[in-house]
Amino acid sequence: MEIQPQDLLKFFRARRSLRRYQRRPIPEGALDQLLEAAIWAPSAHNRQPWRFVIVCDQAKKEGLARAMGAKLRADLEADGLPEPVIEEDVGRSFERISSAPLMILLCMTVSDMDTYPDEKRNGHERSMAIQSTAMAGQNILLMASSLGLGACWMCAPLFCPDLVGAVLDLPPDWQAQGMITIGYPSGERTRGRENWETRALWR
């Protein structure tokens, strides 16, 4: 199917990171479309190192949100932030995770990546797995937008991957990278971008 460049660019510009959702359930079949879009992302060596954890059970979402909130609170207290600031930050995190109708945790594994006798090249393989997983996440965000759904990538699992793995009982090699909350948007959001010229070099 041919897509006109101007239409594609218009679609990219219309996508927003939305954090508040209606209580409406996700339509049947939408999750399949989201994950089908994800697996067609490019991946290093075509190893497809992404792994997905679909969290739609309310008790599980709230349990994860509470556990992550406790870790966030401990970190902020160690930073010496005032209690009202901590309370607001922890409450906002809990609301964003627990109120989303659907949450997809994006994980990656290096189990199928190349291995080398030196840590430097193994580190590069890990970076490639992370990049591949992020591209799968971008596909989810774009597909969600095409379905009329709001979505937001949250990086919070990077700050507590072991905790997330324990709460969700993940396989040992599934390393949490981010979570995408998904639902019908509650309200709109506008946000601009810096011109690409301010982020580019000509050589």
Short mmCIF file of all heavy atoms in Angstrom, two decimals, residues 96-135:
data_model
loop_
_atom_site.label_atom_id
_atom_site.label_comp_id
_atom_site.label_asym_id
_atom_site.label_seq_id
_atom_site.Cartn_x
_atom_site.Cartn_y
_atom_site.Cartn_z
N ARG A 96 -0.79 7.10 37.03
CA ARG A 96 -0.50 6.84 35.62
C ARG A 96 -0.45 5.35 35.32
O ARG A 96 -0.91 4.91 34.26
CB ARG A 96 0.83 7.49 35.23
CG ARG A 96 0.75 9.01 35.13
CD ARG A 96 2.09 9.61 34.78
NE ARG A 96 1.99 11.05 34.63
CZ ARG A 96 3.02 11.88 34.45
NH1 ARG A 96 4.25 11.38 34.37
NH2 ARG A 96 2.84 13.17 34.33
N ILE A 97 0.09 4.58 36.23
CA ILE A 97 0.20 3.14 35.99
C ILE A 97 -1.13 2.43 36.23
O ILE A 97 -1.58 1.62 35.43
CB ILE A 97 1.31 2.53 36.86
CG1 ILE A 97 2.67 3.12 36.48
CG2 ILE A 97 1.33 1.01 36.73
CD1 ILE A 97 3.79 2.74 37.43
N SER A 98 -1.77 2.74 37.35
CA SER A 98 -2.95 1.98 37.76
C SER A 98 -4.21 2.35 36.99
O SER A 98 -5.14 1.54 36.89
CB SER A 98 -3.20 2.17 39.26
OG SER A 98 -3.51 3.52 39.56
N SER A 99 -4.27 3.57 36.43
CA SER A 99 -5.51 4.00 35.78
C SER A 99 -5.56 3.67 34.30
O SER A 99 -6.61 3.80 33.66
CB SER A 99 -5.71 5.50 35.96
OG SER A 99 -4.71 6.23 35.27
N ALA A 100 -4.45 3.23 33.72
CA ALA A 100 -4.44 2.89 32.30
C ALA A 100 -5.17 1.58 32.07
O ALA A 100 -4.91 0.59 32.76
CB ALA A 100 -3.01 2.79 31.79
N PRO A 101 -6.09 1.51 31.10
CA PRO A 101 -6.79 0.25 30.82
C PRO A 101 -5.85 -0.89 30.44
O PRO A 101 -6.10 -2.05 30.74
CB PRO A 101 -7.71 0.62 29.65
CG PRO A 101 -7.92 2.09 29.78
CD PRO A 101 -6.62 2.63 30.32
N LEU A 102 -4.74 -0.53 29.78
CA LEU A 102 -3.80 -1.55 29.31
C LEU A 102 -2.39 -1.03 29.50
O LEU A 102 -2.12 0.16 29.30
CB LEU A 102 -4.04 -1.85 27.83
CG LEU A 102 -3.02 -2.75 27.11
CD1 LEU A 102 -3.05 -4.17 27.67
CD2 LEU A 102 -3.28 -2.76 25.61
N MET A 103 -1.49 -1.92 29.91
CA MET A 103 -0.09 -1.55 30.02
C MET A 103 0.75 -2.66 29.41
O MET A 103 0.51 -3.85 29.66
CB MET A 103 0.30 -1.33 31.48
CG MET A 103 1.66 -0.66 31.65
SD MET A 103 2.94 -1.88 31.96
CE MET A 103 2.59 -2.35 33.64
N ILE A 104 1.68 -2.27 28.56
CA ILE A 104 2.60 -3.24 27.96
C ILE A 104 4.00 -2.92 28.48
O ILE A 104 4.52 -1.82 28.26
CB ILE A 104 2.58 -3.17 26.42
CG1 ILE A 104 1.19 -3.50 25.88
CG2 ILE A 104 3.61 -4.15 25.84
CD1 ILE A 104 1.07 -3.36 24.37
N LEU A 105 4.58 -3.88 29.18
CA LEU A 105 5.96 -3.73 29.64
C LEU A 105 6.87 -4.24 28.54
O LEU A 105 6.74 -5.39 28.09
CB LEU A 105 6.17 -4.52 30.93
CG LEU A 105 7.59 -4.49 31.49
CD1 LEU A 105 7.90 -3.13 32.10
CD2 LEU A 105 7.79 -5.60 32.51
N LEU A 106 7.79 -3.40 28.10
CA LEU A 106 8.75 -3.80 27.08
C LEU A 106 10.03 -4.28 27.77
O LEU A 106 10.62 -3.55 28.56
CB LEU A 106 9.08 -2.64 26.15
CG LEU A 106 8.11 -2.43 25.00
CD1 LEU A 106 6.92 -1.61 25.49
CD2 LEU A 106 8.79 -1.71 23.85
N CYS A 107 10.41 -5.48 27.43
CA CYS A 107 11.64 -6.06 27.96
C CYS A 107 12.54 -6.45 26.79
O CYS A 107 12.10 -6.54 25.65
CB CYS A 107 11.34 -7.30 28.80
SG CYS A 107 10.27 -7.01 30.21
N MET A 108 13.79 -6.65 27.12
CA MET A 108 14.70 -7.15 26.09
C MET A 108 15.53 -8.28 26.70
O MET A 108 15.70 -8.38 27.91
CB MET A 108 15.59 -6.04 25.54
CG MET A 108 16.65 -5.51 26.46
SD MET A 108 18.19 -6.46 26.34
CE MET A 108 19.28 -5.47 27.37
N THR A 109 16.03 -9.13 25.83
CA THR A 109 16.93 -10.20 26.25
C THR A 109 18.13 -10.24 25.32
O THR A 109 18.00 -9.93 24.13
CB THR A 109 16.22 -11.56 26.24
OG1 THR A 109 17.16 -12.59 26.58
CG2 THR A 109 15.63 -11.88 24.86
N VAL A 110 19.25 -10.57 25.86
CA VAL A 110 20.45 -10.74 25.02
C VAL A 110 20.71 -12.22 24.74
O VAL A 110 21.76 -12.57 24.21
CB VAL A 110 21.69 -10.09 25.67
CG1 VAL A 110 21.52 -8.59 25.78
CG2 VAL A 110 21.97 -10.70 27.05
N SER A 111 19.75 -13.07 25.08
CA SER A 111 19.97 -14.51 24.97
C SER A 111 20.25 -14.97 23.55
O SER A 111 20.93 -15.98 23.35
CB SER A 111 18.77 -15.27 25.54
OG SER A 111 17.59 -14.95 24.82
N ASP A 112 19.71 -14.24 22.56
CA ASP A 112 19.91 -14.64 21.16
C ASP A 112 20.91 -13.75 20.44
O ASP A 112 21.11 -13.91 19.23
CB ASP A 112 18.57 -14.61 20.41
CG ASP A 112 17.59 -15.64 20.95
OD1 ASP A 112 18.04 -16.74 21.32
OD2 ASP A 112 16.39 -15.33 21.01
N MET A 113 21.52 -12.81 21.15
CA MET A 113 22.48 -11.92 20.52
C MET A 113 23.85 -12.61 20.41
O MET A 113 24.09 -13.65 21.04
CB MET A 113 22.61 -10.62 21.33
CG MET A 113 21.30 -9.86 21.51
SD MET A 113 20.53 -9.33 19.96
CE MET A 113 21.63 -8.01 19.46
N ASP A 114 24.72 -12.06 19.60
CA ASP A 114 26.06 -12.61 19.47
C ASP A 114 26.82 -12.44 20.79
O ASP A 114 26.57 -11.49 21.54
CB ASP A 114 26.83 -11.90 18.36
CG ASP A 114 26.29 -12.23 16.98
OD1 ASP A 114 25.50 -13.20 16.86
OD2 ASP A 114 26.64 -11.52 16.01
N THR A 115 27.73 -13.34 21.06
CA THR A 115 28.57 -13.23 22.25
C THR A 115 30.04 -13.23 21.83
O THR A 115 30.42 -13.87 20.84
CB THR A 115 28.32 -14.39 23.23
OG1 THR A 115 28.52 -15.63 22.56
CG2 THR A 115 26.89 -14.32 23.77
N TYR A 116 30.85 -12.52 22.63
CA TYR A 116 32.27 -12.36 22.34
C TYR A 116 33.08 -12.60 23.60
O TYR A 116 32.54 -12.54 24.71
CB TYR A 116 32.53 -10.94 21.81
CG TYR A 116 31.83 -10.61 20.52
CD1 TYR A 116 30.59 -9.98 20.52
CD2 TYR A 116 32.42 -10.93 19.30
CE1 TYR A 116 29.94 -9.67 19.33
CE2 TYR A 116 31.78 -10.63 18.10
CZ TYR A 116 30.54 -10.00 18.12
OH TYR A 116 29.91 -9.70 16.95
N PRO A 117 34.36 -12.83 23.45
CA PRO A 117 35.20 -13.03 24.63
C PRO A 117 35.52 -11.75 25.38
O PRO A 117 36.07 -11.81 26.48
CB PRO A 117 36.48 -13.67 24.06
CG PRO A 117 36.53 -13.21 22.64
CD PRO A 117 35.10 -13.10 22.20
N ASP A 118 35.19 -10.59 24.81
CA ASP A 118 35.49 -9.33 25.48
C ASP A 118 34.20 -8.57 25.81
O ASP A 118 33.20 -8.64 25.08
CB ASP A 118 36.39 -8.45 24.60
CG ASP A 118 35.76 -8.13 23.27
OD1 ASP A 118 35.78 -9.01 22.37
OD2 ASP A 118 35.21 -7.02 23.11
N GLU A 119 34.23 -7.85 26.92
CA GLU A 119 33.05 -7.15 27.41
C GLU A 119 32.65 -5.98 26.52
O GLU A 119 31.46 -5.63 26.44
CB GLU A 119 33.29 -6.65 28.84
CG GLU A 119 32.05 -6.06 29.50
CD GLU A 119 30.86 -7.00 29.44
OE1 GLU A 119 31.03 -8.22 29.64
OE2 GLU A 119 29.73 -6.51 29.18
N LYS A 120 33.61 -5.39 25.83
CA LYS A 120 33.29 -4.25 24.99
C LYS A 120 32.30 -4.62 23.89
O LYS A 120 31.27 -3.97 23.70
CB LYS A 120 34.56 -3.66 24.37
CG LYS A 120 34.29 -2.42 23.52
CD LYS A 120 35.60 -1.83 23.00
CE LYS A 120 35.32 -0.58 22.16
NZ LYS A 120 36.59 0.04 21.66
N ARG A 121 32.59 -5.69 23.16
CA ARG A 121 31.69 -6.10 22.09
C ARG A 121 30.38 -6.65 22.64
O ARG A 121 29.31 -6.45 22.05
CB ARG A 121 32.38 -7.10 21.17
CG ARG A 121 33.40 -6.44 20.23
CD ARG A 121 34.01 -7.43 19.28
NE ARG A 121 34.89 -8.37 19.98
CZ ARG A 121 35.50 -9.41 19.39
NH1 ARG A 121 35.30 -9.65 18.11
NH2 ARG A 121 36.31 -10.19 20.09
N ASN A 122 30.43 -7.32 23.77
CA ASN A 122 29.19 -7.79 24.39
C ASN A 122 28.32 -6.60 24.80
O ASN A 122 27.09 -6.65 24.70
CB ASN A 122 29.49 -8.65 25.62
CG ASN A 122 30.02 -10.02 25.24
OD1 ASN A 122 29.65 -10.56 24.19
ND2 ASN A 122 30.86 -10.60 26.09
N GLY A 123 28.97 -5.52 25.23
CA GLY A 123 28.23 -4.30 25.55
C GLY A 123 27.55 -3.72 24.33
O GLY A 123 26.42 -3.21 24.42
N HIS A 124 28.23 -3.78 23.20
CA HIS A 124 27.61 -3.30 21.96
C HIS A 124 26.40 -4.15 21.59
O HIS A 124 25.38 -3.63 21.11
CB HIS A 124 28.63 -3.32 20.81
CG HIS A 124 29.76 -2.35 20.99
ND1 HIS A 124 29.61 -1.16 21.64
CD2 HIS A 124 31.07 -2.42 20.60
CE1 HIS A 124 30.77 -0.51 21.64
NE2 HIS A 124 31.66 -1.26 21.02
N GLU A 125 26.49 -5.45 21.79
CA GLU A 125 25.35 -6.33 21.51
C GLU A 125 24.17 -5.97 22.41
O GLU A 125 23.02 -5.95 21.96
CB GLU A 125 25.75 -7.80 21.71
CG GLU A 125 26.70 -8.34 20.67
CD GLU A 125 26.05 -8.51 19.30
OE1 GLU A 125 24.90 -8.97 19.23
OE2 GLU A 125 26.70 -8.16 18.30
N ARG A 126 24.46 -5.68 23.66
CA ARG A 126 23.40 -5.26 24.58
C ARG A 126 22.75 -3.96 24.11
O ARG A 126 21.53 -3.83 24.12
CB ARG A 126 23.96 -5.10 25.99
CG ARG A 126 22.96 -4.55 26.98
CD ARG A 126 23.56 -4.41 28.38
NE ARG A 126 22.67 -3.65 29.24
CZ ARG A 126 21.60 -4.13 29.83
NH1 ARG A 126 21.28 -5.40 29.66
NH2 ARG A 126 20.84 -3.37 30.58
N SER A 127 23.59 -3.02 23.67
CA SER A 127 23.05 -1.75 23.16
C SER A 127 22.17 -1.98 21.94
O SER A 127 21.12 -1.35 21.79
CB SER A 127 24.20 -0.79 22.81
OG SER A 127 24.91 -0.41 23.96
N MET A 128 22.58 -2.89 21.07
CA MET A 128 21.77 -3.19 19.89
C MET A 128 20.42 -3.80 20.28
O MET A 128 19.40 -3.52 19.65
CB MET A 128 22.54 -4.10 18.94
CG MET A 128 23.66 -3.40 18.20
SD MET A 128 24.39 -4.41 16.89
CE MET A 128 25.37 -5.56 17.84
N ALA A 129 20.43 -4.64 21.31
CA ALA A 129 19.18 -5.23 21.78
C ALA A 129 18.26 -4.15 22.36
O ALA A 129 17.04 -4.17 22.13
CB ALA A 129 19.45 -6.30 22.82
N ILE A 130 18.84 -3.21 23.08
CA ILE A 130 18.06 -2.10 23.64
C ILE A 130 17.47 -1.25 22.52
O ILE A 130 16.28 -0.89 22.55
CB ILE A 130 18.94 -1.24 24.57
CG1 ILE A 130 19.33 -2.02 25.82
CG2 ILE A 130 18.22 0.06 24.95
CD1 ILE A 130 20.36 -1.33 26.69
N GLN A 131 18.29 -0.94 21.51
CA GLN A 131 17.81 -0.12 20.39
C GLN A 131 16.68 -0.83 19.65
O GLN A 131 15.67 -0.21 19.29
CB GLN A 131 18.97 0.16 19.43
CG GLN A 131 20.02 1.09 19.99
CD GLN A 131 21.26 1.18 19.11
OE1 GLN A 131 21.39 0.45 18.12
NE2 GLN A 131 22.19 2.06 19.46
N SER A 132 16.83 -2.12 19.44
CA SER A 132 15.79 -2.88 18.74
C SER A 132 14.48 -2.86 19.51
O SER A 132 13.40 -2.69 18.93
CB SER A 132 16.26 -4.33 18.53
OG SER A 132 17.47 -4.38 17.80
N THR A 133 14.56 -3.04 20.81
CA THR A 133 13.37 -3.04 21.65
C THR A 133 12.70 -1.67 21.63
O THR A 133 11.46 -1.57 21.59
CB THR A 133 13.73 -3.44 23.09
OG1 THR A 133 14.32 -4.74 23.07
CG2 THR A 133 12.51 -3.45 23.99
N ALA A 134 13.50 -0.62 21.63
CA ALA A 134 12.93 0.73 21.57
C ALA A 134 12.18 0.95 20.26
O ALA A 134 11.12 1.59 20.24
CB ALA A 134 14.03 1.78 21.74
N MET A 135 12.71 0.42 19.16
CA MET A 135 12.01 0.58 17.88
C MET A 135 10.69 -0.18 17.87
O MET A 135 9.70 0.29 17.30
CB MET A 135 12.92 0.13 16.74
CG MET A 135 14.04 1.13 16.47
SD MET A 135 15.00 0.80 14.97
CE MET A 135 16.09 -0.50 15.57
#
